[in-house]
Amino acid sequence: QRVLFVNEDDDISHVNISAASSNTSEAGGKATIEIVLDTKPYDDVTVTATVDSAMAIVAPAVLTFTPSSWNVTQNVTLTGQDTDFKESGAHPYNVSWAVGSDDDLYAVLVPSATTLFNDDNDTSFVIVSEASTNTTEAGGEAAFTVALGSDPLAAVTVTAVSEDAAEGTVLAASASLTFTSDSWKTPQTVTVRGADDLLDDHAVDYNVSVSVATGSDSQYVALESQQVHLTNEDDDTSDVTVDAASGNTTEAGGRAAIGVSLDSEPYADVTVNVLVNATMATASPEALTFTAGSWNVTQSVTLTGADTDFKDTGAHPYSVQFSVVSDDSQYDAVVPP
């Protein structure tokens, strides 16, 4: 007589997939996942890994387990990829798994996907070049370029404003620049034109402020403004222009006029003193005063010939000397011709 027994199986066909060892990163940081079978298969079993985005690459993508190596753990390695995209922190992605085998118990398995995170290494920053040259009071222009340091999450508008419009202004066409995901790394040009004044103020340094406008990608809006340093070259000179006399004077009281003017606006009143170096004539007035409001208005000195009761041989030469006094140090140092 035979007695039948049933030996109940305690093995289950299953692919054991561990959690990832860490996050990957855009700097090429790696993570590993361990895979092993829970039971010996009747035939070879392949496990294929597929990443659902460009956040990482997987290697090897296919693992093969045989009836003799089924219990030997194998690893897949995920290597993070740089996307040039400014994510908000770590960006999630999934690895899906596909099982293939002629062992029907393994062939029907559908393992759950594994979720990983790729740590971002992109920083929101604005790249601003130095100015190409100085501006000038004659209208000379300078240029600099602006670009973004990473792909923005939303459009970014960058504005450029002169901090001293008396020295230079940003041309309207380049005062506002917009960058998108398609154009963020293409430099755009800001043009600055020198402003003219009438002062002998030498070369003057000034800044153009570059900042991100509200309404842009919030991570860019949070950035501090940057300054581009420029110099506006002067085209004014502190000097006194003395015109030639309108004619000769005569001992009969004939008169001549000399025009006097300044070449630039002074910082303080300028007095031009007039001195005739002989008794041949008198000057009126003997002093001319120029202010910041009247510096460019020519003033006249009238010379009146005097009778010397001296029998000269023809016309007798004499000269008129001019001297300058001012609290404007540049004019006070001028010696007129």
Side-chain angles (χ1 to χ4, degrees), residues 49-309:
T50 303
V51 181
D52 68 351
S53 74
M55 295 291 166
I57 56 175
V58 60
V62 180
L63 303 176
T64 300
F65 296 88
T66 70
S68 61
S69 67
W70 64 272
N71 59 346
V72 177
T73 299
Q74 299 186 53
N75 296 334
V76 296
T77 299
L78 285 301
T79 303
Q81 301 297 295
D82 192 352
T83 62
D84 285 334
F85 185 77
K86 181 68 186 79
E87 293 92 27
S88 299
H91 193 77
Y93 63 97
N94 295 311
V95 178
S96 60
W97 309 95
V99 178
S101 180
D102 287 336
D103 181 330
D104 293 341
L105 295 174
Y106 271 101
V108 298
L109 298 180
V110 182
S112 299
T114 302
T115 299
L116 295 90
F117 292 86
N118 197 36
D119 291 333
D120 190 22
N121 72 341
D122 297 306
T123 303
S124 298
F125 63 99
V126 178
I127 303 170
V128 182
S129 74
E130 295 181 351
S132 59
T133 186
N134 293 340
T135 57
T136 70
E137 289 192 356
E141 296 177 347
F144 61 89
T145 61
V146 179
L148 302 188
S150 63
D151 191 351
L153 297 175
V156 173
T157 298
V158 176
T159 60
V161 179
S162 173
E163 295 181 356
D164 188 351
E167 295 300 334
T169 56
V170 176
L171 298 191
S174 61
S176 180
L177 310 173
T178 299
F179 298 88
T180 67
S181 288
D182 295 326
S183 65
W184 63 271
K185 57 184 174 182
T186 301
Q188 299 188 49
T189 300
V190 175
T191 302
V192 186
R193 178 174 295 161
D196 194 16
D197 60 34
L198 302 173
L199 295 165
D200 181 8
D201 51 2
H202 305 296
V204 177
D205 295 332
Y206 65 105
N207 294 325
V208 171
S209 177
V210 178
S211 58
V212 177
T214 57
S216 302
D217 179 339
S218 60
Q219 296 181 72
Y220 273 96
V221 171
L223 298 177
E224 294 184 359
S225 62
Q226 300 183 52
Q227 278 69 42
V228 177
H229 305 292
L230 298 100
T231 300
N232 195 35
E233 296 178 356
D234 193 22
D235 62 356
D236 300 299
T237 303
S238 297
D239 206 354
V240 176
T241 295
V242 178
D243 298 334
S246 60
N248 289 336
T249 57
T250 69
E251 290 192 353
R255 295 180 177 179
I258 298 176
V260 180
S261 62
L262 304 188
D263 288 356
S264 64
E265 181 181 341
Y267 289 97
D269 290 355
V270 174
T271 299
V272 178
N273 295 310
V274 184
L275 175 65
V276 180
N277 72 342
T279 59
M280 297 292 170
T282 59
S284 178
E286 294 182 343
L288 306 173
T289 298
F290 297 88
T291 68
S294 67
W295 66 272
N296 57 347
V297 177
T298 299
Q299 299 186 47
S300 292
V301 175
T302 300
L303 301 174
T304 303
D307 190 351
T308 61
D309 290 331

